[in-house]
Amino acid sequence: MLFSVEPKTLIKDVFGRKAEFLDFLEKLENGRRLFVITGPRRIGKTSFLYASLNEIYRMKNEKDPIHNS
């Protein structure tokens, strides 16, 4: 197999989704709380969500490492 079929957990491993991630992040920062992620099977919806949430968590911990340890 040329690639792992497991969901990606890092945004850098999700190919071609930087614009979507930045849009997702901007909408979260502006207060949006409901998202619907749709698409054909095996296109990377779960990987995008896992990787995006992990990246947001990592960014949050880098901003405030004392209170998030």
Side-chain angles (χ1 to χ4, degrees):
M1 180 147 292
L2 297 175
F3 57 91
S4 170
V5 295
E6 298 298 318
K8 308 297 183 249
T9 57
L10 301 173
I11 200 67
K12 69 179 183 68
D13 295 335
V14 180
F15 182 76
R17 297 285 185 232
K18 185 173 184 177
E20 287 88 348
F21 171 70
L22 294 175
D23 188 45
F24 180 65
L25 184 60
E26 178 184 350
K27 287 180 169 123
L28 276 175
E29 289 171 345
N30 289 333
R32 183 179 241 172
R33 295 292 176 240
L34 177 65
F35 294 88
V36 178
I37 300 174
T38 64
R41 291 180 59 213
R42 305 196 55 84
I43 194 113
K45 299 176 298 289
T46 301
S47 290
F48 174 77
L49 186 60
Y50 281 166
S52 295
L53 294 176
N54 282 334
E55 183 70 14
I56 291 166
Y57 180 78
R58 185 190 63 75
M59 290 166 44
K60 180 181 173 189
N61 284 336
E62 284 180 357
K63 284 184 184 176
D64 192 10
I66 294 172
H67 294 99
N68 293 314
S69 52

